[in-house]
Amino acid sequence: MTSQQHAGRPLRMPDRLFAEFAVGGGSAEALAFLERGERARRLLLLRTLLAGIDGISTPLNPPAEAWRTLKEAAGRAPEQVEQLLLAPATGGWLAHMLRRLHGTAVGPPLWVEAGHLSALAVAAALRARTEAELLVPLTDGALNLPGLGLVRLPAAEPGPTVGRARTRAGELTLTGTESDGRADSVRCRPATVPVRVLDAPPPSTAAAEGVSTPVRAPAPAEAHWIPLRTLTHVTASGSVSIPLDDLDPYRDLDEPIPPARLDADEASAWQELFDDAVGILANPDGGHGPGRLDPAVIRSVVPWGRTSTMPPVRPGVRGSASSGDAFGAMNISRPATAPVLAEILVHEFQHSKLAALLHLFPLVEDDREERYYAPWRPDPRHLTGLLHGVYAFTGVSGFWRDRMADAEHEEQAAVAAYHFALRRTQTRLVVRTLQLSGRLTAPGRRIVTGLARTLDGWLREPVDPAARARARTAAMLHRTEWRLRNVVPPREGSPPEAPSPEGGEAQEGGAAWRRGSGAETSRFRTDRDPWPDLRTHAFAARPRVPLTADEHLAAGDPAAAMAAYAQALALDPADPHVLAGWIVARAALEPGRSGRRMLARPELLQPLPSG
């Protein structure tokens, strides 16, 4: 369980596995190799951290004692302890602690965060059923047991305190001291609980209804033990359990956060949605290309932003994120529908794959300057962000391509065709930006060339013409509004700006979509604010009875749209959302050179149009 185990045996990815990742996919064998790389990296970071926290002032046991407890547990149950050390939250803790040691992160007292190693050791001892005794950090009287749950002393004291944890045969005794000096303790057998078992109806109710259900999990003897729930799914190779992590302090992207326990109904809603999403992603052919996802590769789902089913989720609300420090983890705001969750799962795992590749290969020489257009962002991005975006949205494009084939009726197929047409075009545009940047390494060029090959093949595939037209319009609207909101128009009389790597042509079906996307030397607004992308999903379906300017544009009537936009601009000539619509509508009515110039540099429109 040390990095020395692999000393002298460098990881060398076989060329055929790299080729799978280069086109956006990845077989089970290829993903297993990535996990080997993440394991090696995790152990190296652990060794670095142990050296960094050795000798810090702490009321707990020295880190070496906690590490010794971990190693003893690993000797008894190596797979269980490996799973614990490779868990996403462990990676989040490691990265956060190293940032703290370098002075680039903040948190509770350093001894408390360093003492998380003792909590890991206690959790390992419980999994391995070994005997151990360690002093552990408590927060408001609670001890987080990674991968298991949260145990809280009956008389919890606020703030950071010290507890004593004893383990024997899978049982935990946690002892603390009350403010009056008396001992305060709790005893339990920590274990995770599947959502569908924990929140199932009582057996008597199920029997009366003639329904076969798992036996209801007994309620904890004490209210002081809160188990980690798991999302479960049965596959051809067995049952998959994925933590639904609402407890671990290091489940977020950077700084530690408190528990945010989901109520039973919200947890059940997650399980139901997850079942449906995994059903959408199922691939009976066993393929491993972009757009498909085996649920077994997901390491945790972290709910964001809500703990209750009330109020209901609004259909347009979607949000997700992931971290390269936490392979396989996905922070997700529960969406309203299973297709949206399925798309998010694909999207975020693509990010995990690329992050793991970046840990093995330098793919881009990034100066971190945020000056590039990304069709899925409101702000300028740096090259690493662009690379992450194209890798994720190649997967998303493949997801919607599969949905076209799987659609049960015409309306579903049209929506899938729209998203496929939109994302393949936008993603290919950014691939071109990366190719022209001159900053890709040899492995990076191979990745981007492979993605280009995947996308070029998809661009030749036929798509419903109406859906394709709406996708093209939505893409132009986003880019136009992005430039209006982000790019500072040149002063009168200033020299023209040089073409940017973001310029060039995005090809769809062999026809030029647009040219002259911007300038690397463009100056960006310092007062820009985040703005919502209201059109990408609004244009997915053709409006039956167009009423608004956007709806007229989505319905293919730019003249009516332009008139409605002009009325709105008369009230507020500086509204970039409305102005973007006006420019795209006018360009549709003037398809020649003047229309292309407006689309290429919309920020040059001075004064603003009045009709």
Side-chain angles (χ1 to χ4, degrees):
M1 200 179 68
T2 66
S3 55
Q4 286 91 339
Q5 288 177 349
H6 295 280
R9 296 169 53 193
L11 281 171
R12 298 189 184 278
M13 181 179 289
D15 186 74
R16 58 187 174 79
L17 300 186
F18 191 91
E20 292 180 17
F21 292 125
V23 296
S27 62
E29 182 186 2
L31 294 177
F33 188 94
L34 280 190
E35 290 203 334
R36 282 180 56 200
E38 289 298 288
R39 178 189 186 277
R41 178 177 183 270
R42 190 72 58 87
L43 292 174
L44 286 170
L45 293 179
L46 267 170
R47 185 173 68 177
T48 303
L49 178 62
L50 286 171
I53 62 177
D54 185 40
I56 70 167
S57 177
T58 176
L60 308 177
N61 304 91
E65 290 188 29
W67 184 246
R68 189 159 45 247
T69 300
L70 264 169
K71 292 181 68 174
E72 290 172 0
R76 173 78 67 86
E79 290 187 7
Q80 291 264 27
V81 177
E82 281 272 297
Q83 186 181 32
L84 179 64
L85 290 177
L86 295 180
T90 303
W93 167 69
L94 270 171
H96 173 75
M97 278 299 300
L98 290 171
R99 285 192 285 268
R100 284 213 64 178
L101 293 178
H102 284 87
T104 57
V106 297
L110 187 59
W111 69 266
V112 173
E113 298 211 87
H116 187 72
L117 180 64
S118 295
L120 281 166
V122 170
L126 288 166
R127 287 169 178 254
R129 301 176 67 83
T130 56
E131 292 190 25
E133 182 173 341
L134 287 171
L135 296 175
V136 291
L138 307 180
T139 301
D140 299 329
L143 171 65
N144 174 69
L145 292 171
L148 294 172
L150 190 74
V151 59
R152 190 183 302 276
L153 292 173
E157 282 196 56
T161 56
V162 176
R164 183 177 299 275
R166 298 183 180 88
T167 68
R168 183 176 183 180
E171 183 177 79
L172 169 71
T173 301
L174 179 65
T175 305
T177 304
E178 297 183 33
S179 56
D180 59 6
R182 290 183 300 174
D184 181 23
S185 67
V186 64
R187 183 177 297 176
C188 59
R189 287 188 171 274
T192 62
V193 180
V195 171
R196 65 173 81 254
V197 174
L198 182 67
D199 301 317
S204 58
T205 303
E209 297 174 352
V211 179
S212 175
T213 66
V215 176
R216 184 179 175 87
E222 301 271 356
H224 310 301
W225 166 243
I226 305 174
L228 180 69
R229 295 187 182 105
T230 59
L231 299 169
T232 55
H233 184 73
V234 179
T235 68
S237 57
S239 180
V240 175
S241 295
I242 298 166
L244 182 64
D245 195 350
D246 52 6
L247 298 174
D248 197 290
Y250 298 100
R251 66 191 186 277
D252 202 20
L253 302 181
D254 185 14
E255 296 180 5
I257 58 174
R261 187 62 166 176
L262 306 183
D263 66 23
D265 288 342
E266 177 70 3
S268 295
W270 267 105
Q271 178 66 68
E272 182 178 353
L273 202 65
F274 184 77
D275 283 337
D276 293 342
V278 170
I280 290 171
L281 293 170
N283 186 2
D285 300 328
H288 53 263
R292 298 290 183 178
L293 181 67
D294 180 353
V297 303
I298 303 172
R299 294 293 170 256
S300 73
V301 172
V302 178
W304 253 8
R306 55 186 299 122
T307 57
S308 171
T309 55
M310 300 302 291
V313 179
R314 289 184 286 114
V317 173
R318 60 185 68 208
S320 64
S322 55
S323 167
D325 299 320
F327 181 80
M330 305 175 183
N331 295 45
I332 303 172
S333 176
R334 179 172 66 85
T337 66
V340 175
L341 178 59
E343 178 189 2
I344 289 172
L345 296 177
V346 169
H347 179 125
E348 294 304 336
F349 194 69
Q350 289 289 103
H351 280 305
S352 280
K353 284 160 54 180
L354 185 70
L357 287 169
L358 283 164
H359 292 157
L360 297 173
F361 304 97
L363 300 180
V364 61
E365 298 170 354
D366 193 355
D367 60 9
R368 310 300 290 184
E369 285 290 327
E370 297 180 332
R371 60 176 179 268
Y372 297 95
Y373 171 62
W376 36 79
R377 294 279 302 199
D379 52 348
R381 295 294 283 159
H382 46 65
L383 287 171
T384 302
L386 285 193
L387 185 59
H388 261 287
V390 298
Y391 205 81
F393 278 94
T394 298
V396 170
S397 300
F399 169 82
W400 287 111
R401 177 174 178 265
D402 293 339
R403 301 290 74 72
M404 287 197 304
D406 297 344
E408 296 180 357
H409 52 77
E410 186 177 343
E411 185 175 346
Q412 282 185 351
V415 170
Y418 162 84
H419 285 294
F420 174 53
L422 175 69
R423 294 311 190 189
R424 70 181 182 180
T425 302
Q426 290 179 324
T427 308
R428 185 59 179 90
L429 169 66
V430 182
V431 163
R432 181 175 176 81
T433 302
L434 288 164
Q435 289 174 319
L436 294 174
S437 70
R439 291 182 173 271
L440 295 173
T441 64
R445 284 194 297 274
R446 190 174 173 193
I447 290 280
V448 173
T449 300
L451 297 177
R453 187 163 58 249
T454 296
L455 293 161
D456 286 344
W458 289 346
L459 284 165
R460 289 189 289 269
E461 295 182 1
V463 171
D464 171 65
R468 181 174 176 267
R470 291 197 308 278
R472 182 174 181 271
T473 300
M476 289 188 290
L477 284 166
H478 184 278
R479 185 189 165 279
T480 302
E481 185 168 353
W482 183 92
R483 290 197 68 88
L484 291 173
R485 290 182 180 273
N486 288 289
V487 179
V488 178
R491 294 185 181 90
E492 185 177 358
S494 62
E497 297 166 345
S500 163
E502 188 255 343
E505 294 179 353
Q507 300 291 330
E508 184 176 27
W513 172 48
R514 60 114 191 101
R515 186 173 181 86
S517 297
E520 184 174 316
T521 54
S522 293
R523 293 185 303 116
F524 294 105
R525 297 183 184 276
T526 57
D527 60 344
R528 61 182 186 266
D529 294 318
W531 51 280
D533 179 8
L534 301 175
R535 286 163 166 147
T536 290
H537 294 282
F539 275 59
R542 188 183 190 280
R544 289 184 173 86
V545 183
L547 297 175
T548 67
D550 277 359
E551 289 172 350
H552 285 297
L553 198 56
D557 188 350
M562 186 173 168
Y565 288 130
Q567 289 180 356
L569 286 170
L571 300 175
D572 184 1
D575 186 333
H577 181 77
V578 178
L579 180 57
W582 185 92
I583 291 171
V584 171
R586 180 166 177 176
L589 295 170
E590 300 177 10
R593 184 176 180 182
S594 63
R596 291 194 299 271
R597 286 173 64 88
M598 281 194 299
L599 291 175
R601 301 291 300 280
E603 69 277 8
L604 298 182
L605 277 180
Q606 297 290 340
L608 298 175
S610 59

